């Protein structure tokens, strides 16, 4: 399947960025109380921040006027008290903003994870695992930083600039004009830089995800890497991706740094103008030295806020880029959807019908063409055909991992698109070709579909799958940890645990997708013997290339290029000289002697 191109064209522009920004802010909705309190602390902190220059300016005038030491002591005490109150308010604001941001990150990660669970198989055909992991980790963290720091800082910058403006105008409106003459330029630079940074930070996020993909694939396939002695090649692949992330980060930071330099230059020019004009006013007696001190201290405050504007623009650009990637998942629409009036599938007997079914993956060519078949309870349907003939695609339609593009699939006469997904999938047990076990105990893996199952039921399922004797021979028995993806078990052992997991659910319909491919002939025979009783009354679809499975099937369907070209039982198809006979001669006949030998050994006879 084709993967999604991370470099695909995406919407852009100021309006789009603003819409994304406010959508990110909507996550604050459930936490209005703590957010409002954090804003109150921010206001208090800002007031006392601006009180300190006022007191210091008064102290300068008191010193020059040879005021009393008592007045100076009171002003020094006022500075200390204002600083303490400012610190307390800053602590409250910081704590609450962090608490809210952590809660939002918690909610957002859970929402993303829930969305991952509900998206269709086709979504995962297009997306890489590391890309999705990056969205739930690095991108969520970028949004958290926006909420915890950038938003309130942005409000604080606006508040402080407004308050300083009023103070400076009250002190000397001419000096105030000089101070704020540079603000339009700063606003322009901030807007332009923010627009440039969003695509740059988006590329950084995509680069990190691509680098994570290489890392994840390498760690998952480390045995293959070592077996082929390709460590140097893999190191080179990772280094290339890491270099891309480095270069993209450098480009973004270069843009940010140049913007900061321009803004600092503008502020310093304003400072020089104020010092020259303000100094001349002091010399002329129209301004006191304390008032000029206040002006310079407030200008320093403005300088810090202006620098903060550049940093905030960078943070907001990062968060908007990350938010875009998050919303790409949140807004994804499952291709397989449950109808609002869907009814539960109850009292399932297992009559399955495919009626003129065709199917294609997305916009690709059809992989199934006008397929029709009927399977009754107790029947075993074997699907044969070359790789890519459509066998797995056919059985994947039954639990609605994908939806048909034409025709319909019914169970007991009910179109599976008319029933709830949960009830449909509870009626179907699947052992997939690519066996996946969770990093848990053997007991947990077998009971995954029925966590409330008793130990006796788990043991019965394990016995049926011919894995019980192996399990009890382990030092920790059913409490043995299987490791990541069942790495501590062999291929055949994993297959049998997966079969036990499916059988424990006691489904009315079974799908065995080449589920005996990793077991030896004798073990296959033992499993077949156990399955003989268990499939009675159930409808079973088997994708297999083993003779025992094929010979015992009630109906064999031979697929070629998505079409059923032959159907019938083994005996009749083997005599017809068609595709099945060719498969039998090339792949199955050689198993005949081995199968008889395994059967004889299992029955206590001689080979």
């Amino acid at each position: 399947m084709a993967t999604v191109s991370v470099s695909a064209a995406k919407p852009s522009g100021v309006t789009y960025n603003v819409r994304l920004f406010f959508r990110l802010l909507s996550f604050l909705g459930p936490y209005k109380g703590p957010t409002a309190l954090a804003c109150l602390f921010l206001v208090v902190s800002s007031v006392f921040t601006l009180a300190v220059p006022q007191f210091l300016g008064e102290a300068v005038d008191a010193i020059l006027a040879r005021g009393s030491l008592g007045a100076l002591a009171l002003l020094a005490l006022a500075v200390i008290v204002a600083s303490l109150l400012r610190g307390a308010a800053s602590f409250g604001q910081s704590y609450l903003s962090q608490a809210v941001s952590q809660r939002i990150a918690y909610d957002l990660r859970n929402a993303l994870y829930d969305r991952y669970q509900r998206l269709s198989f086709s979504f995962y055909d297009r997306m890489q695992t590391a890309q999705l992991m990056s969205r739930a980790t690095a991108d969520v963290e970028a949004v958290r930083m926006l909420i915890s720091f950038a938003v309130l800082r942005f409000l604080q910058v606006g508040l402080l600039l407004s308050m300083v403006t009023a103070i400076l105008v009250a002190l000397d409106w001419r000096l105030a004009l000089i101070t704020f003459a540079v603000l339009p330029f700063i606003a322009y630079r901030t807007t332009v830089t923010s627009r440039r940074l969003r695509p740059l930070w988006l590329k950084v996020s995509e680069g990190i995800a691509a680098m994570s993909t290489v890392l994840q694939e390498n760690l998952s396939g480390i045995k293959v890497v070592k077996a082929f002695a390709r460590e140097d090649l893999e190191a080179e692949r990772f280094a290339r991706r890491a270099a891309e992330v480095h270069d993209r980060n450098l480009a973004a930071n270069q843009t940010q740094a140049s913007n900061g330099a321009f803004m600092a230059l503008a502020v310093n020019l304003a400072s020089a103008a104020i010092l020259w004009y303000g100094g001349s006013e002091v010399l002329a007696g129209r301004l006191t030295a304390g008032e000029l001190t206040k002006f310079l201290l407030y200008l320093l405050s403005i300088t810090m806020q202006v620098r903060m504007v550049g940093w905030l623009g960078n943070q907001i650009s990062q968060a908007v880029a990350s938010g875009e990637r998050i919303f790409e998942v949140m807004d994804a629409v499952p291709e397989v959807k449950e109808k609002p009036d869907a009814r539960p599938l109850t009292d399932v007997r297992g009559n399955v019908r495919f009626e003129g079914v065709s199917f294609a993956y997305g916009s690709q060519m059809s992989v199934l063409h006008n397929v029709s078949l009927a399977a009754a309870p107790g029947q075993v349907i074997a699907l044969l055909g070359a790789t890519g003939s459509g066998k797995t695609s056919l059985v994947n339609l039954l639990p609605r991992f994908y939806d048909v593009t034409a025709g319909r699939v019914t169970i007991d006469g009910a179109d599976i698109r008319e029933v709830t997904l949960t009830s449909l999938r509870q009626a179907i047990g699947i052992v997939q070709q690519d066996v996946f076990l969770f990093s848990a105990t053997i007991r947990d893996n077998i009971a995954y579909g029925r966590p409330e199952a008793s130990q006796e039921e788990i043991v019965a399922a394990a016995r049926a799958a011919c894995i019980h004797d192996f399990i009890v021979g382990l030092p920790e028995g059913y409490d043995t940890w299987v490791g990541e993806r069942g790495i501590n078990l062999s291929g055949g052992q994993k297959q049998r645990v997966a079969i036990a997991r499916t059988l424990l659910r006691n489904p009315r319909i079974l799908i065995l997708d080449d589920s005996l491919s990793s077991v030896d002939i004798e073990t296959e025979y033992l499993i077949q013997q156990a399955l003989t009783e268990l499939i009675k009354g159930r409808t079973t679809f088997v994708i297999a290339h083993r003779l025992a499975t094929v010979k015992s099937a009630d109906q064999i369907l031979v697929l070629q290029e998505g079409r059923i070209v032959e159907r019938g039982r083994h005996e009749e198809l083997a005599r017809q000289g068609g595709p099945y006979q060719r498969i039998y001669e090339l792949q199955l006949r050689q198993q005949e002697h081995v199968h008889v030998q395994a059967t004889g050994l299992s029955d206590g006879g001689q080979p």
Side-chain angles (χ1 to χ4, degrees):
M1 302 300 300
T3 58
V4 165
S5 172
V6 296
S7 61
K10 298 179 184 296
S12 60
V14 175
T15 303
Y16 178 73
N17 292 347
V18 170
R19 189 165 63 248
L20 276 176
F21 176 70
F22 279 102
R23 189 174 178 187
L24 291 174
L25 292 187
S26 68
F27 292 122
L28 286 167
Y31 308 103
K32 294 176 181 176
T35 302
L37 189 56
C39 289
L40 177 61
F41 280 129
L42 183 146
V43 172
V44 174
S45 173
S46 300
V47 168
F48 286 111
T49 296
L50 296 181
V52 172
Q54 188 74 21
F55 295 141
L56 292 175
E58 295 293 335
V60 169
D61 281 339
I63 292 171
L64 294 177
R66 298 186 182 276
S68 67
L69 290 176
L72 285 176
L74 284 175
L75 287 170
L77 181 62
V79 169
I80 293 172
V81 172
S83 299
L84 289 174
L85 291 174
R86 175 187 173 276
S90 295
F91 170 79
Q93 175 252 308
S94 179
Y95 175 80
L96 286 172
S97 61
Q98 286 290 337
V100 169
S101 71
Q102 291 291 351
R103 187 66 197 186
I104 287 173
Y106 171 81
D107 293 342
L108 191 53
R109 286 194 180 100
N110 283 338
L112 268 174
Y113 191 82
D114 181 72
R115 195 63 177 168
Y116 288 158
Q117 307 309 304
R118 302 183 188 284
L119 288 169
S120 304
F121 269 43
S122 55
F123 177 82
Y124 296 98
D125 291 338
R126 300 188 299 268
M127 298 296 291
Q128 295 172 320
T129 301
Q131 290 273 351
L132 301 178
M133 291 176 64
S134 178
R135 283 164 167 80
T137 52
D139 290 329
V140 169
E141 182 62 18
V143 172
R144 190 194 70 78
M145 286 294 293
L146 171 73
I147 300 298
S148 68
F149 194 81
V151 172
L152 286 180
R153 284 289 184 181
F154 195 80
L155 293 175
Q156 188 176 40
V157 167
L159 181 63
L160 285 173
L161 287 177
S162 300
M163 295 171 70
V164 169
T165 299
I167 293 172
L168 294 184
V169 170
L171 286 173
D172 190 306
W173 65 271
R174 297 177 187 83
L175 282 177
L177 284 178
I178 296 174
T179 303
F180 293 109
V182 298
L183 292 184
F185 171 76
I186 291 171
Y188 168 76
R189 286 292 310 176
T190 300
T191 301
V192 170
T193 303
S194 179
R195 291 179 62 184
R196 291 176 180 172
L197 282 173
R198 188 189 75 85
L200 289 175
W201 286 122
L202 185 60
K203 288 182 179 179
V204 169
S205 296
E206 292 171 345
I208 291 173
M211 181 178 67
S212 300
T213 297
V214 174
L215 178 61
Q216 184 256 337
E217 289 178 348
N218 178 270
L219 295 178
S220 298
I222 192 65
K223 291 185 177 180
V224 176
V225 174
K226 290 186 175 296
F228 285 84
R230 304 298 281 171
E231 293 91 343
D232 291 342
L233 174 66
E234 290 300 319
E236 183 183 342
R237 284 182 63 209
F238 185 81
R240 283 200 303 269
R241 292 299 187 183
E244 288 178 4
V245 173
H246 169 270
D247 294 343
R248 291 173 180 180
N249 261 306
L250 201 60
N253 285 310
Q254 183 178 9
T255 301
Q256 181 187 356
S258 62
N259 180 60
F262 274 116
M263 290 197 294
L265 176 62
V267 171
N268 288 332
L269 290 175
S271 300
I274 288 171
L275 187 60
W276 177 81
Y277 180 77
S280 64
E281 290 291 287
V282 171
L283 293 176
R286 291 186 292 270
L287 197 69
T288 69
E291 289 172 334
L292 181 59
T293 300
K294 294 176 189 178
F295 231 101
L296 292 173
L297 290 174
Y298 285 129
L299 179 63
L300 178 62
S301 176
I302 289 178
T303 302
M304 294 174 61
Q305 302 310 315
V306 166
R307 291 178 182 272
M308 184 64 68
V309 167
W311 185 87
L312 290 175
N314 179 54
Q315 290 295 307
I316 291 171
S317 296
Q318 281 185 279
V320 168
S322 293
E324 183 175 5
R325 285 163 49 81
I326 290 171
F327 294 137
E328 184 181 357
V329 175
M330 300 295 287
D331 295 339
V333 178
E335 294 184 14
V336 175
K337 291 182 284 189
E338 187 175 283
K339 291 186 176 180
D341 58 347
R343 56 183 178 81
L345 186 64
T346 57
D347 300 324
V348 179
R349 297 184 302 277
N351 286 296
V352 177
R353 295 183 65 88
F354 283 67
E355 300 174 1
V357 168
S358 295
F359 171 68
Y361 290 101
S363 59
Q364 298 183 15
M365 294 180 60
S366 293
V367 295
L368 293 174
H369 307 274
N370 196 30
V371 172
S372 296
L373 65 91
Q379 284 191 334
V380 176
I381 311 299
L383 304 175
L384 271 74
T387 300
S389 60
K391 305 182 297 297
T392 300
S393 297
L394 182 66
V395 295
N396 279 342
L397 297 177
L398 190 53
R400 285 194 72 194
F401 292 156
Y402 304 89
D403 268 340
V404 300
T405 52
R408 67 174 191 156
V409 181
T410 66
I411 296 178
D412 298 338
D415 191 322
I416 60 174
R417 292 169 295 189
E418 306 292 332
V419 302
T420 62
L421 285 171
T422 299
S423 65
L424 171 65
R425 291 171 183 173
Q426 284 177 342
I428 300 172
I430 305 172
V431 179
Q432 295 172 327
Q433 183 178 20
D434 183 17
V435 175
F436 183 91
L437 298 183
F438 292 92
S439 183
T441 65
I442 292 178
R443 176 188 288 104
D444 291 338
N445 272 284
I446 293 176
Y448 183 75
R450 281 187 58 206
E452 76 285 357
S454 66
Q455 179 65 17
E456 291 74 18
E457 291 174 313
I458 293 172
V459 169
R463 287 185 185 278
C466 299
I467 192 67
H468 171 73
D469 291 342
F470 165 76
I471 295 173
V472 296
L474 296 171
E476 297 180 57
Y478 281 84
D479 292 320
T480 300
W481 203 261
V482 302
E484 185 179 1
R485 297 181 65 92
I487 195 171
N488 295 331
L489 302 179
S490 70
Q493 290 159 357
K494 287 193 290 186
Q495 288 278 10
R496 283 177 280 169
V497 170
I499 290 171
R501 178 173 61 190
T502 300
L503 295 177
L504 183 62
R505 293 185 62 186
N506 193 27
R508 301 304 305 167
I509 300 170
L510 288 173
I511 297 175
L512 307 178
D513 187 353
D514 209 8
S515 58
L516 303 180
S517 61
S518 296
V519 299
D520 56 72
I521 295 294
E522 185 173 356
T523 302
E524 177 191 351
Y525 174 74
L526 295 173
I527 294 176
Q528 288 286 359
Q529 291 292 96
L531 289 177
T532 299
E533 293 298 320
L534 289 166
I535 64 177
K536 286 183 178 178
R538 293 179 175 83
T539 310
T540 306
F541 291 84
V542 182
I543 297 176
H545 300 94
R546 292 297 181 91
L547 180 64
T549 303
V550 175
K551 291 185 73 171
S552 62
D554 296 286
Q555 186 177 182
I556 299 169
L557 304 178
V558 183
L559 280 79
Q560 281 185 358
E561 298 180 351
R563 292 180 172 83
I564 297 177
V565 294
E566 271 191 316
R567 68 180 77 205
R569 293 182 63 88
H570 166 73
E571 294 79 7
E572 57 183 287
L573 293 179
R575 297 191 299 266
Q576 289 182 0
Y580 177 79
Q581 187 181 41
R582 290 194 293 273
I583 294 174
Y584 176 72
E585 295 293 339
L586 292 174
Q587 301 178 22
L588 302 179
R589 182 180 288 278
Q590 59 185 332
Q591 300 176 22
E592 191 88 51
H593 174 70
V594 180
H595 175 66
V596 171
Q597 183 182 38
T599 303
L601 287 172
S602 299
D603 292 338
Q606 299 297 318

